Amino acid sequence: MSEKLLVPDIGEFEKVEVIELLVKVGDKINLDDPVVTIESDKSSVEIPSTVSGKIQSINVKVGDKVSKGDLLLNVVSSNQESSVKPIPKDTESIIKQAESALKNEKIEKTVQKKLIEEKKQTIIQVTNNNDIDPLETQDWLESLSAVVEKDGNQRAHFLIKELINKAYREGANIPYTQHTPYINTIPPEAELKSNGDQNIERRIRSLIRWNAAAMVVRANKKFPELGGHIGTFASAATLYDVGMNHFWRAKNNKFGGDLIYFQGHSAPGVYARAFLEGRLNEKQLDRFRQEVELGGLSSYPHPWLMPNFWQFPTVSMGLGPMLAIYQARYMKYLINRGLIKDEGRKVWAFLGDGEMDEPESLGAIGLAAREKLDNLIFVVNCNLQRLDGPVRGNGKIIQELEGSFRGAGWNVIKVIWGSYWDSLIANDKTGHLVKIMNETVDGEYQAMKARNGSYVREKFFGKYPETEELVSSLSDKDIWRLNRGGHDPHKVYAAYDKASKNQGSPTVIIAKTIKGYGMGKTGESVNTTHQTKKLDDFDLLYYRDRFDVPLTDEQVKNVEYFKPDEKSPEIKYIKEKRMNLGGPLPERTTYSKPIKAPAKNIFDFMKVSTGEKEMSTTMALVRMLTNLLRDKNVSPRLVPIIPDEARTFGMEGFFQKIGIYAHEGQKYEPEDSAQLSSYREDKSGQVLEEGINEAGAMSSWIAAATSYTNHDIEMIPIYIFYSMFGFQRIGDLAWAAGDSQARGFLIGATAGRTTLAGEGLQHQDGHSHLVASTIPNCISYDPTFHYELAVIFREGLRRMHEKNENVFYYITTMNENYSHPAIPKDKNCEKGILKGMYKIKEFNRYKKTKIQLLGSGTILREMMKAAEILQNEYKIDSEIWSVTSFNELRRDGMEVERYNLLNPDKEQKISFVEQCLGKTEGPIMAASDYMRMNSDQIRPYTNKSFYSLGTDGYGRSDTRKNLRKFFEVDKEHIVAYGLSVLAKEQLIASKYAKEAIKKYNIDGSKPMPTKI
Ligand SMILES: Cc1ncc(C[n+]2csc(CCOP(=O)(O)OP(=O)(O)O)c2C)c(N)n1
Ligand SMILES: [Mg+2]
């Protein structure tokens, strides 16, 4: 039976051009196979077949314009039934859900009716602290205890919830609280006990503490300028040790490994453990913060500097939490797309309580809950202090964080009190102890730990007679020993165990600790702890005694490291524990296989002229990506990332074609379901549609761009954004990406100060290339024509994903439509495109006066038009150079210059700029749609006179024409400035320039655009 394949609903578009036939008569096609590509002036989309069978005839050809309902093909259907389109699965499940909802509604209606009938006129009074009937309260509490005892916590929780719901329906104003009392979430009887040897673990921990502090002190004794931190790790040692000994599984050939984001300032502790494990030696510890010579230890976690050790750069506060969330999300993405196995791997992130003030730290916690990231565990080390003083002197950071995380939907585990408190809390029959705990603010908690036991007795327990009585049998020493949860390995173990087993939501462990724990009077809990990097003999001796480090006084004074014998129980234990967990941590390894770059001919369509057809480079890019999705090696590895701008960039065709990743699939039938580019969410979707969230999108990009090491699978992330909201907005993340050795593409679309016309000052980017140039391993290009883009992109694929170079690409694309010429025949053209410049055109008719014109991005086209005017109206010859990257040219120039200066006796090298321009005639004039500084970058690498034009100043909304005139980069200004340059160089008379200035109505008295 013959079937007709018609143009489906393509939204608001009509008469859309067919640009590609993907099938021919006689081909066998399957349902959903793409058959034709159509392209509007905004985007190109493939039309999939709605039938399977053999193509009988094709009714359209390339260049035809089609609209909805037009006949594309006739297909002899291979399956009669296929013509009856089955109800899509999603639709079917929606119908089922709707049906069951209807049933439930019926039941609910009857229940509600009953409730109304049963409603009694009881008034529920919320009494807060003023208990009007303590006996009744007692009754309720006893009933609750009985339920907990008989049926467990879950049942009690259910009943309480029901009570609250009931009260709410009866009209009670339920005060909403996100906080639980200031005690541990896990009661002592529910704590799972560690099977570790606590004595030996304590000894190991003490040695790690000592060596970490010694490392910082020794470095600063030698060079006081080096700095470092002791207090941060001192407060976090137990949190790390329990994880290292019992929970964190390393990557090996059987398991992908847990991913740990260590808090940046705790690096000394991580090195100190690696020392005991035999991964680092004393010499290396002595090179802490002295990295210039190979083999030093970086101040903080920096994969760039220690590429076999650190995995995640975290020290710029706030980036760690965000990156960890998106890492966990990306891990689920890879699993749901079937690219890695689900092995129950976890992402752990260690954060400071002060760090939680960064907007980035809390900014993405909603996403973590929404996406049910039960592979994610945050540990917030609440030592109550940041750099200058208390985090929340007048409040309680733990309670505040509990509220934020619980409100966002996280599983919250508070680890506030250590085991010594257990019996006190159990004996707190009147509730006064918990009352004081709730009432005491962090400033007081901090001050108490800076003092002593008698102070705590007076200021804390002394608040109520009941609590004073509670500790009456304890000595001041006993009171001083009452420990905080984060320093108690039992409490920490129980919390980690619970967090690891939690399902359906991310977990945050909020652990209370003491900053500078064990550092004594000069360091423990005092406001200056953070920056303490020197300990005097007295403090060192105290520290040794506090943690029973087996060193003599003499050794302490020499600040010697201590490592027990290889055969000692401690060393055996520490190694065995890591062996059981798969190997050492942190460790950065890479076993991913390269991706073969697609054959050159996949880009051939971009090397021919587009003829009359005009398109933007953004559209050329999307076309190219559509093509790449047909390459079987590359296609599954592409990770398109878009922050709510797919339609801006003409990428909506991707929604249907590869789907938008959504961990729950699509629970609704989209409004536009009948359309070709319908909004399709899918559990195995490929596009990461991040919403209006550049920082999140960049975090996703980093996760995908480092997939080769963290998941051993090479991926090709392509993050497309408004160029103004790129480096300027998320510069610190881009820097972290470089440190992480990210590989992938960043596409700054709608680029150029005058090319994005109407959007105005905050949108028009004239500097992103300069920011990009600050990142050493970021390679950036500003191409003008589609073949340049193709050459650059393929080389990026080859270098990053086939040859595994640790670089990433920043490419700007524009939204101005114009026709694109064929790639020049010159065999050096491709090399030039990649090196940064090549000659695109030459006017050589008069052979008298010449100028070299260098242009990039859309301004190259203004240059080309100006050159024509100069030739036709002023008899000036010119050579026009397309500069694809001033940044790359500068890098080459710098390197060559450096070599030449350092090797004065050797044959001098010639920079690429000089190779291109050295033997040319006439002065150079360069222009781009960026600040002059962009093109000025190459000024030192040529001996010729050099002038530049650019878009310095604030952008503003207007037409492209007016903007280019305003910034003086339009063809008229280029002509006038060109003539002026030639006059200045005494190659022509100045009257020509003067005339041109007049002719083009250029106001010489107009202020610089930077001043307007
Ligand atoms: C973005 C950023 N701003 C400032 C700093 C400087 N800084 C380093 S540590 C620190 C205080 C950290 O306090 P907290 O997060 O509580 O960590 P703690 O050392 O107490 O565990 C500050 C301000 C930084 N590293 N990153
Ligand atoms: Mg802190």
Side-chain angles (χ1 to χ4, degrees):
M1 183 186 159
S2 175
E3 295 274 347
K4 287 185 179 0
L5 182 61
L6 308 179
V7 176
D9 185 348
I10 44 178
E12 76 225 44
F13 299 106
E14 280 210 28
K15 294 211 163 61
V16 181
E17 187 176 344
V18 173
I19 60 159
E20 220 178 354
L21 292 179
L22 303 168
V23 289
K24 49 186 190 313
V25 172
D27 281 358
K28 282 205 173 125
I29 53 167
N30 292 318
L31 194 74
D32 287 336
D33 278 356
V35 291
V36 164
T37 312
I38 56 171
E39 190 170 80
S40 68
D41 59 346
K42 276 192 69 199
S43 67
S44 52
V45 198
E46 290 172 352
I47 298 183
S49 174
T50 49
V51 288
S52 309
K54 197 166 160 186
I55 297 184
Q56 193 179 33
S57 63
I58 299 178
N59 284 55
V60 288
K61 56 183 187 316
V62 171
D64 283 359
K65 302 268 168 79
V66 295
S67 302
K68 182 183 168 186
D70 287 352
L71 177 64
L72 290 173
L73 320 166
N74 279 305
V75 179
V76 181
S77 165
S78 56
N79 178 359
Q80 199 131 1
E81 278 159 37
S82 68
S83 63
V84 184
K85 227 182 160 191
I87 301 175
K89 255 203 171 141
D90 291 349
T91 316
E92 209 173 72
S93 70
I94 288 166
I95 294 170
K96 273 191 193 149
Q97 275 174 23
E99 281 173 357
S100 66
L102 274 177
K103 270 186 226 152
N104 287 344
E105 204 180 309
K106 269 187 210 154
I107 297 167
E108 213 160 87
K109 266 186 192 154
T110 47
V111 172
Q112 277 214 349
K113 213 171 148 203
K114 229 172 135 195
L115 278 176
I116 292 163
E117 278 164 13
E118 280 173 6
K119 189 174 171 185
K120 292 183 196 118
Q121 292 306 311
T122 42
I123 297 164
I124 295 180
Q125 203 166 347
V126 179
T127 57
N128 292 336
N129 282 340
N130 306 322
D131 194 342
I132 56 163
D133 189 348
L135 276 180
E136 188 184 40
T137 313
Q138 194 58 29
D139 268 0
W140 280 70
L141 292 178
E142 277 168 13
S143 305
L144 185 69
S145 295
V147 173
V148 172
E149 206 166 295
K150 187 167 153 276
D151 299 320
N153 282 337
Q154 291 289 336
R155 172 75 186 151
H157 191 249
F158 173 80
L159 287 176
I160 293 166
K161 229 169 108 185
E162 285 300 295
L163 278 175
I164 292 172
N165 288 346
K166 169 89 173 148
Y168 186 73
R169 290 208 296 261
E170 301 275 329
N173 180 17
I174 306 288
Y176 177 58
T177 171
Q178 295 160 324
H179 304 131
T180 55
Y182 199 66
I183 54 172
N184 294 350
T185 305
I186 307 173
E189 57 281 8
E191 286 166 5
L192 190 88
K193 296 275 176 277
S194 157
N195 61 4
D197 179 331
Q198 292 308 319
N199 287 328
I200 217 167
E201 286 187 18
R202 182 182 184 273
R203 287 207 297 278
I204 292 170
R205 195 159 48 248
S206 298
L207 297 181
I208 295 176
R209 285 176 183 287
W210 173 264
N211 289 326
M215 181 173 29
V216 178
V217 174
R218 283 169 75 96
N220 283 282
K221 274 199 162 174
K222 227 176 3 170
F223 304 112
E225 70 205 80
L226 292 178
H229 302 273
I230 302 171
T232 298
F233 178 72
S235 72
T238 309
L239 299 173
Y240 286 116
D241 250 32
V242 173
M244 283 286 200
N245 286 334
H246 301 286
F247 289 91
W248 304 335
R249 300 153 300 174
K251 186 208 286 191
N252 56 32
N253 53 6
K254 294 192 197 80
F255 181 74
D258 294 324
L259 302 175
I260 320 296
Y261 287 71
F262 292 93
Q263 193 190 358
H265 303 80
S266 57
V270 183
Y271 295 137
R273 173 172 256 271
F275 170 59
L276 290 192
E277 289 175 2
R279 303 177 64 204
L280 297 175
N281 57 35
E282 279 196 24
K283 256 195 182 154
Q284 286 169 298
L285 295 198
D286 269 344
R287 296 277 306 285
F288 175 58
R289 292 190 170 221
Q290 297 144 72
E291 308 175 73
V292 164
E293 258 180 52
L294 221 67
L297 301 184
S298 63
S299 47
Y300 303 116
H302 293 301
W304 184 262
L305 300 169
M306 292 178 69
N308 303 321
F309 194 86
W310 292 116
Q311 295 174 284
F312 308 108
T314 48
V315 77
S316 177
M317 315 233 115
L319 300 193
M322 189 132 197
L323 290 169
I325 288 174
Y326 280 88
Q327 178 65 258
R329 198 293 207 91
Y330 177 71
M331 198 188 264
K332 296 241 179 198
Y333 166 90
L334 286 177
I335 293 167
N336 284 329
R337 285 196 54 208
L339 291 166
I340 61 170
K341 281 188 291 186
D342 186 356
E343 303 176 292
R345 294 166 66 200
K346 305 271 180 206
V347 176
W348 293 71
F350 281 78
L351 318 165
D353 48 357
E355 181 176 14
M356 297 314 288
D357 278 348
E358 291 283 4
E360 290 90 341
S361 299
L362 291 171
I365 63 172
L367 170 121
R370 202 160 63 237
E371 303 249 346
K372 301 189 170 49
L373 300 180
D374 49 14
N375 56 344
L376 176 66
I377 298 163
F378 270 16
V379 181
V380 187
N381 176 15
C382 291
N383 53 27
L384 313 187
Q385 289 174 245
R386 44 182 160 80
L387 193 149
D388 283 341
V391 176
R392 291 289 182 275
N394 293 321
K396 285 166 117 85
I397 186 66
I398 292 181
Q399 298 299 83
E400 185 181 320
L401 290 174
E402 176 187 29
S404 301
F405 279 94
R406 200 183 288 284
W410 285 52
N411 172 39
V412 178
I413 302 176
K414 295 196 288 190
V415 184
I416 303 179
W417 307 113
S419 307
Y420 290 118
W421 286 90
D422 286 349
S423 56
L424 280 183
I425 294 171
N427 290 331
D428 177 31
K429 301 294 178 212
T430 63
H432 279 83
L433 178 56
V434 174
K435 191 169 154 57
I436 302 180
M437 288 171 166
N438 287 338
E439 286 167 356
T440 306
V441 294
D442 283 355
E444 290 177 277
Y445 278 121
Q446 184 199 337
M448 280 186 273
K449 279 299 173 191
R451 303 277 156 74
N452 53 37
S454 76
Y455 184 87
V456 177
R457 184 193 299 279
E458 183 199 331
K459 296 283 176 185
F460 186 75
F461 293 106
K463 277 189 185 163
Y464 297 106
E466 290 84 347
T467 42
E468 205 167 4
E469 171 60 25
L470 202 62
V471 291
S472 58
S473 62
L474 299 189
S475 68
D476 287 350
K477 220 171 162 189
D478 291 335
I479 288 180
W480 191 238
R481 201 179 293 134
L482 291 169
N483 54 346
R484 290 192 177 166
H487 295 301
D488 185 329
H490 304 288
K491 302 287 181 195
V492 174
Y493 183 93
Y496 284 10
D497 170 70
K498 213 148 196 246
S500 304
K501 292 174 183 159
N502 183 55
Q503 287 188 350
S505 59
T507 295
V508 59
I509 293 167
I510 311 177
K512 184 167 174 160
T513 62
I514 297 167
K515 191 142 180 170
Y517 185 62
M519 283 167 71
K521 289 280 157 271
T522 46
E524 196 159 341
S525 211
V526 297
N527 278 338
T528 51
T529 304
H530 190 79
Q531 283 170 311
T532 304
K533 50 188 190 260
K534 288 183 193 156
L535 297 178
D536 60 22
D537 290 353
F538 179 82
D539 292 331
L540 285 166
L541 288 166
Y542 175 88
Y543 204 60
R544 179 212 44 195
D545 295 341
R546 172 72 182 76
F547 295 112
D548 308 315
V549 182
L551 286 173
T552 64
D553 286 4
E554 198 53 32
Q555 287 172 313
V556 168
K557 285 174 188 161
N558 290 335
V559 206
E560 289 181 24
Y561 298 117
F562 186 86
K563 184 178 173 187
D565 189 80
E566 279 299 308
K567 294 197 185 79
S568 66
E570 289 85 0
I571 298 295
K572 274 196 188 147
Y573 187 91
I574 195 170
K575 286 189 170 174
E576 191 185 295
K577 284 287 171 199
R578 285 312 313 160
M579 194 88 87
N580 293 343
L581 288 162
L585 266 177
E587 190 175 50
R588 190 175 186 278
T589 56
T590 299
Y591 300 103
S592 61
K593 290 199 188 75
I595 304 169
K596 191 153 175 38
K600 278 192 168 177
N601 65 13
I602 197 162
F603 300 103
D604 278 354
F605 73 101
M606 294 174 79
K607 294 188 177 168
V608 294
S609 164
T610 59
E612 296 279 284
K613 187 168 170 66
E614 297 193 336
M615 69 169 82
S616 65
T617 40
T618 305
M619 190 153 161
L621 173 93
V622 176
R623 257 188 176 202
M624 181 178 73
L625 294 180
T626 309
N627 238 25
L628 277 174
L629 285 167
R630 294 180 200 142
D631 182 282
K632 69 175 189 333
N633 293 322
V634 169
S635 173
R637 306 302 181 86
L638 288 177
V639 184
I641 302 168
I642 322 164
D644 200 34
E645 298 282 358
R647 293 178 203 280
T648 313
F649 309 136
M651 293 177 73
E652 61 270 39
F654 285 30
F655 295 164
Q656 267 301 314
K657 192 167 169 59
I658 48 177
I660 297 164
Y661 172 71
H663 75 286
E664 293 176 307
Q666 193 158 34
K667 294 176 171 172
Y668 60 96
E669 185 148 347
E671 163 280 317
D672 56 1
S673 59
Q675 286 180 16
L676 183 59
S677 298
S678 164
Y679 199 84
R680 184 170 75 87
E681 302 194 62
D682 193 330
K683 193 167 176 180
S684 60
Q686 197 164 346
V687 175
L688 287 171
E689 163 61 90
E690 300 293 7
I692 310 163
N693 178 4
E694 285 78 14
M698 187 63 187
S699 302
S700 274
W701 184 84
I702 293 174
T706 52
S707 202
Y708 66 92
T709 164
N710 296 322
H711 306 285
D712 284 331
I713 178 165
E714 185 83 32
M715 299 294 283
I716 309 170
I718 303 174
Y719 168 28
I720 308 187
F721 49 87
Y722 258 103
S723 73
M724 191 68 155
F725 304 137
F727 285 88
Q728 170 164 298
R729 180 77 182 227
I730 48 82
D732 202 11
L733 281 165
W735 188 253
D739 189 352
S740 308
Q741 303 174 43
R743 299 174 190 157
F745 294 94
L746 295 173
I747 308 290
T750 58
R753 184 95 80 209
T754 67
T755 307
L756 177 62
E759 295 288 329
L761 183 152
Q762 197 90 52
H763 281 69
Q764 291 162 350
D765 161 37
H767 50 272
S768 67
H769 276 288
L770 290 170
V771 190
S773 80
T774 59
I775 301 181
N777 47 340
C778 172
I779 298 181
S780 46
Y781 288 100
D782 180 24
T784 312
F785 296 122
H786 67 339
Y787 62 83
E788 296 175 350
L789 179 63
V791 170
I792 292 162
F793 200 89
R794 183 177 183 277
E795 179 67 357
L797 286 176
R798 196 191 65 80
R799 282 181 68 181
M800 294 187 286
H801 304 295
E802 184 174 319
K803 297 293 168 205
N804 298 149
E805 269 187 61
N806 288 323
V807 293
F808 65 96
Y809 274 55
Y810 174 57
I811 306 173
T812 41
T813 62
M814 280 78 68
N815 64 343
E816 182 174 354
N817 288 333
Y818 45 83
S819 56
H820 297 250
I823 187 165
K825 293 272 181 290
D826 182 353
K827 66 177 185 337
N828 287 323
C829 173
E830 289 200 19
K831 180 183 157 204
I833 291 173
L834 297 174
K835 297 279 288 180
M837 69 188 286
Y838 66 98
K839 198 195 296 176
I840 189 166
K841 203 163 182 175
E842 186 163 1
F843 289 94
N844 214 7
R845 202 183 313 155
Y846 299 101
K847 301 196 171 38
K848 211 170 134 219
T849 315
K850 204 164 203 179
I851 184 165
Q852 303 298 318
L853 298 174
L854 276 55
S856 91
T858 45
I859 300 306
L860 170 64
R861 297 179 65 250
E862 299 289 336
M863 278 280 188
M864 293 169 85
K865 286 181 230 160
E868 244 168 79
I869 298 171
L870 285 171
Q871 173 88 136
N872 296 338
E873 295 180 25
Y874 300 93
K875 300 189 174 166
I876 306 287
D877 289 342
S878 61
E879 287 173 46
I880 308 164
W881 300 82
S882 170
V883 180
T884 49
S885 178
F886 283 108
N887 286 348
E888 283 303 289
L889 291 176
R890 173 175 165 76
R891 281 180 181 168
D892 170 80
M894 278 195 300
E895 207 174 331
V896 167
E897 183 177 78
R898 175 176 175 273
Y899 174 90
N900 290 343
L901 291 174
L902 290 175
N903 297 279
D905 50 336
K906 297 217 178 99
E907 191 183 335
Q908 299 286 282
K909 292 186 177 179
I910 302 173
S911 70
F912 191 71
V913 170
E914 198 61 358
Q915 285 173 38
C916 293
L917 298 171
K919 295 209 174 86
T920 58
E921 275 176 60
I924 299 167
M925 196 168 76
S928 75
D929 212 5
Y930 294 84
M931 297 164 70
R932 284 172 179 77
M933 212 190 280
N934 188 34
S935 39
D936 279 346
Q937 290 188 88
I938 64 167
R939 199 189 277 253
Y941 309 116
T942 169
N943 293 325
K944 298 163 96 43
S945 299
F946 190 102
Y947 301 83
S948 60
L949 307 178
T951 56
D952 299 69
Y954 282 120
R956 57 209 63 211
S957 47
D958 211 312
T959 61
R960 273 184 198 120
K961 191 168 170 35
N962 284 344
L963 286 172
R964 283 178 189 163
K965 184 168 184 198
F966 175 81
F967 284 108
E968 306 175 359
V969 290
D970 58 353
K971 61 179 188 296
E972 291 83 5
H973 276 88
I974 294 172
V975 168
Y977 273 113
L979 292 168
S980 235
V981 162
L982 290 168
K984 191 161 185 331
E985 298 291 320
Q986 301 195 339
L987 294 167
I988 59 169
S990 59
K991 67 174 183 182
Y992 297 109
K994 224 176 143 194
E995 270 169 31
I997 289 170
K998 194 164 168 220
K999 177 177 170 189
Y1000 297 125
N1001 289 324
I1002 295 170
D1003 176 4
S1005 64
K1006 187 186 127 201
M1008 269 295 278
T1010 46
K1011 294 186 173 163
I1012 307 175

